[in-house]
């Protein structure tokens, strides 16, 4: 009992430290269009007006609305939900590691999750990713706990008590599926976790009745938010808006394998997204200090892999925790094909706690192992302390990196800075041609005239129709082909305003700029010889 109280106190301290650190650098601005739509949804939820965008995230928005009713502004409410979700993710990562690999792994996983730059930065963003990750991690912990309860208690108890142990494990699995159903209303794109856990649990229990019962559990969690959503939004608006948004996600703007079909681009998104973002690994344009932590990170990844390296151990790990393996594999395939991993590494976020658990389990296994040849006590002590030193050193490097990224994130994003510039600039209004920032400009700079262009031809026409005063262009709308077409018509392109920052803070629009297209004559800003990196790929 005393040991349990110590563990509970340590978990509470870890969670409090995580929450305090996430709240320390919270923001109060719309850094991209998704964040703006979430804020608008907290102010007034409306499916037809994309407040927020599909699939509407009703549970996430409802949590923020609850805080707004208590007096928080919409953006402060979103920041509080994300920060609390980040702290919960740290705690559930430690709990998951404990039920998978023991108390020592829980310590390692908790420290790594607390210091992880990616988890920390994601907790600062006014998006649903962190809340969805917290829900998924909590559900996976319940699955792992059910496995441990069943295995440990049935092995230790007499036959008459096995039924009670199995009943307790079954109730834990029920709560896991209900939570996953609720989680679909937090972030629907994490559905592979729900389906994989449902399949593994129902298959393990066997029979058609098990599938029906477990499907009922998942549906119960989903209906808790789906019924209110249908009642709030008219069925016609809900169906029509969801159809348009779903079709657009898969065929136009969602960054799926259909719209970003290059295998090399998607492979780079896997490596750069998981290694350089999710795990804070070294990369040519990443902070230089990451090269110091890279050997430590590789060592922990290798330790995690060695823990299940032999086929016999891998098969045993798969049998012991099938929900974790199946859901991780299912989500990886979905993200690989159905998410914008080429430009948005945040889609790998729910896999990061699982990777941290694997690293922590490997480190714990090494620290518990004895040297092959019994040596002096000092040698044995060094062997046992080495994993602690590696984890502590990597956590220190991660912590410094995380604080640096969080401080940069406090400043307005390139998109938010452009909107503020347009709001405050006193120049005569000119049309602002854009592909993705029109809603941000409408809400943040109401005196401006944003014009959404869907292709290069529309952009060129918009510039020509602007007259001799020229037009402003946000750089994500300007492809190299459009720039060449304007040059042939005698226009020059110059940078009017830009405030870039690290792409490890803003992966997609790190160098977004406001440009101006003027008829032939001396440009007012720096000449632009090529399309910026934020321009749409061709």
């Amino acid at each position: 009992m005393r040991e349990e109280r110590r563990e509970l106190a340590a978990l509470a301290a870890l969670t409090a430290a995580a929450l305090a650190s996430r709240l320390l650098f919270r923001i109060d601005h719309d850094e991209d269009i998704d964040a703006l739509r979430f804020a608008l949804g907290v102010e007034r939820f409306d499916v037809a007006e994309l407040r927020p965008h599909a699939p509407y995230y009703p549970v996430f928005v409802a949590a923020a609305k609850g805080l707004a009713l208590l007096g928080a502004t919409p953006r402060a409410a979103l920041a509080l939900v994300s920060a609390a979700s980040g702290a919960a993710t740290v705690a559930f990562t430690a709990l998951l590691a404990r039920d998978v690999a023991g108390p020592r792994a829980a310590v390692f996983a908790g420290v790594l999750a607390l210091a992880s730059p990616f988890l920390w930065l994601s907790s600062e963003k006014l998006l649903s990713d962190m809340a969805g990750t917290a829900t998924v991690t909590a559900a996976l912990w319940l699955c792992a706990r059910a496995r441990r309860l069943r295995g440990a208690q049935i092995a230790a108890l007499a036959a008459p008590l096995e039924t009670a142990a199995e009943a307790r494990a079954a109730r834990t699995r029920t709560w896991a599926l209900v939570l996953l159903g609720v989680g679909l209303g937090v972030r629907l794109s994490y559905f592979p976790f729900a389906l994989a856990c449902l399949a593994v649990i129902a298959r393990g229990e066997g029979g058609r009745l098990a599938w029906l019962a477990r499907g009922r559990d998942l549906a119960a969690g989903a209906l808790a938010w789906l019924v209110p959503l249908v009642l709030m939004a008219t069925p016609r608006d809900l169906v029509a808006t969801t159809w348009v948004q779903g079709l657009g996600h898969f065929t136009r703007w969602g960054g799926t394998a259909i719209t970003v079909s290059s295998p090399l681009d998607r492979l780079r998104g896997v490596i750069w997204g998981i290694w350089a973002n999710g795990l804070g690994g070294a990369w040519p344009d990443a902070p230089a200090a990451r090269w110091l932590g890279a050997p430590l990170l590789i060592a922990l990844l290798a330790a995690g892999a060695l823990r299940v390296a032999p086929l016999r151990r891998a098969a045993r790990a798969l049998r012991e925790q099938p929900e974790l393996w199946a859901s991780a594999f299912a989500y990886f395939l979905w993200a690989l094909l159905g998410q914008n991993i080429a430009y948005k590494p945040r889609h790998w976020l729910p896999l990061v706690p699982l990777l941290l658990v694997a690293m922590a389990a490997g480190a714990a296994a090494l620290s518990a192992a004895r040297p092959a040849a019994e040596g002096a006590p000092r040698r044995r002590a060094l062997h046992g302390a080495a994993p602690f030193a590696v984890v502590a050193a990597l956590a220190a490097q991660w912590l410094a990196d995380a604080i640096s990224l969080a401080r940069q994130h406090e400043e307005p994003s390139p998109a938010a800075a452009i909107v503020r510039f347009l709001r405050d600039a006193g120049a005569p209004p000119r049309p602002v041609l854009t592909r993705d920032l029109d809603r941000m400009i409408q809400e943040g700079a109401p005196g401006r005239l944003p014009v959404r262009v869907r292709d290069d031809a529309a952009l060129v026409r918009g510039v020509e129709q602007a007259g001799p005063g020229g037009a402003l262009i946000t750089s994500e709308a300007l492809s190299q082909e459009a720039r060449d077409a304007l040059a042939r018509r005698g226009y020059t392109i110059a940078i009017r305003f830009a405030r870039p920052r690290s792409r490890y803070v803003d992966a997609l629009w790190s160098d977004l700029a406001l440009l101006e297209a003027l008829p032939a004559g001396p440009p007012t800003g720096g000449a632009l010889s090529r399309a910026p990196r934020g321009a749409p790929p061709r």
Side-chain angles (χ1 to χ4, degrees), residues 25-372:
F25 298 104
R26 65 186 184 275
I27 64 173
D28 192 29
H29 63 265
D30 307 316
E31 58 179 324
D32 59 23
I33 182 60
D34 288 347
L36 169 64
R37 285 174 172 157
F38 280 126
L40 294 175
V42 175
E43 290 177 356
R44 179 173 58 84
F45 189 88
D46 192 304
V47 166
E49 295 183 12
L50 300 183
R51 304 168 67 104
H53 51 291
Y56 319 116
Y57 312 89
V59 176
F60 176 64
V61 174
K65 270 185 171 292
L67 294 174
L69 291 175
L70 297 176
T73 66
R75 289 159 187 83
L78 291 169
L80 290 172
V81 172
S82 288
S85 300
T89 300
V90 172
F92 287 125
T93 301
L95 289 171
L96 177 60
R98 187 187 189 285
D99 282 314
V100 169
R104 190 170 298 182
V107 173
F108 290 153
V111 170
L112 292 174
L114 176 65
S116 166
F118 198 55
L119 292 183
W120 190 329
L121 185 63
S122 300
S123 303
E124 307 291 350
K125 293 185 176 291
L126 310 186
L127 302 173
S128 65
D129 303 77
M130 200 70 249
T133 298
T135 307
V136 165
T137 308
L140 293 179
W141 165 61
L142 290 174
C143 290
R145 182 169 180 78
R147 293 280 172 180
R148 187 177 69 85
L149 286 173
R150 183 177 183 275
Q153 294 189 24
I154 290 180
L157 296 176
L161 298 178
E162 290 184 6
T163 302
E166 176 56 38
R168 186 179 178 189
R171 286 195 299 271
T172 304
R173 292 193 292 269
T174 296
W175 283 114
L177 288 172
V178 171
L179 183 58
L180 286 168
V182 173
L184 296 177
V186 179
R187 188 161 182 85
L188 185 60
S189 63
Y190 291 174
F191 72 90
F193 289 94
L195 296 183
C197 288
L198 169 64
V200 169
I201 292 172
R203 185 175 182 274
E205 294 178 349
R208 182 180 301 177
L209 291 179
W211 283 91
L212 291 174
R214 293 314 184 180
R216 175 206 60 202
D217 297 337
L218 184 64
L223 288 173
W225 58 264
L226 185 58
V227 170
L229 176 63
V230 173
L231 293 176
M232 290 177 61
T234 63
R236 180 178 180 180
D237 286 343
L238 191 61
V239 172
T241 306
T242 302
W243 171 257
V244 172
Q245 291 285 296
L247 189 64
H249 170 82
F250 286 103
T251 62
R252 288 178 52 201
W253 63 71
T256 66
I258 297 174
T259 56
V260 182
S261 57
S262 168
L264 289 179
D265 285 345
R266 302 197 73 80
L267 178 61
R268 183 181 62 226
V270 173
I271 299 173
W272 181 71
I274 295 178
W275 167 258
N277 287 271
L279 295 175
W283 205 261
D285 64 342
R290 291 191 178 188
W291 292 101
L292 299 176
L296 306 175
L297 178 58
I298 292 172
L300 289 178
L301 288 171
L306 288 174
R307 184 174 178 268
V308 295
L311 291 179
R312 184 180 59 181
R313 290 184 185 177
R316 178 182 176 184
L318 185 60
R319 289 193 304 270
E320 290 178 346
Q321 300 294 341
E323 292 91 351
L324 272 62
W325 289 86
S327 58
F329 181 70
Y331 183 79
F332 179 86
L333 287 181
W334 157 246
L336 184 65
L337 299 176
Q339 294 291 311
N340 189 2
I341 58 167
Y343 302 104
K344 294 182 178 181
R346 63 185 176 89
H347 291 298
W348 296 118
L349 182 62
L351 296 182
V352 173
L354 297 180
L355 290 171
L356 297 184
V357 169
M359 293 162 57
L366 289 179
S367 64
R370 292 181 176 272

Side-chain angles (χ1 to χ4, degrees), residues 366-371 375-390:
L366 289 179
S367 64
R370 292 181 176 272
R378 182 178 179 183
R379 180 182 175 184
R380 292 197 300 270
L382 289 175
H383 183 275
F388 286 90
V390 171

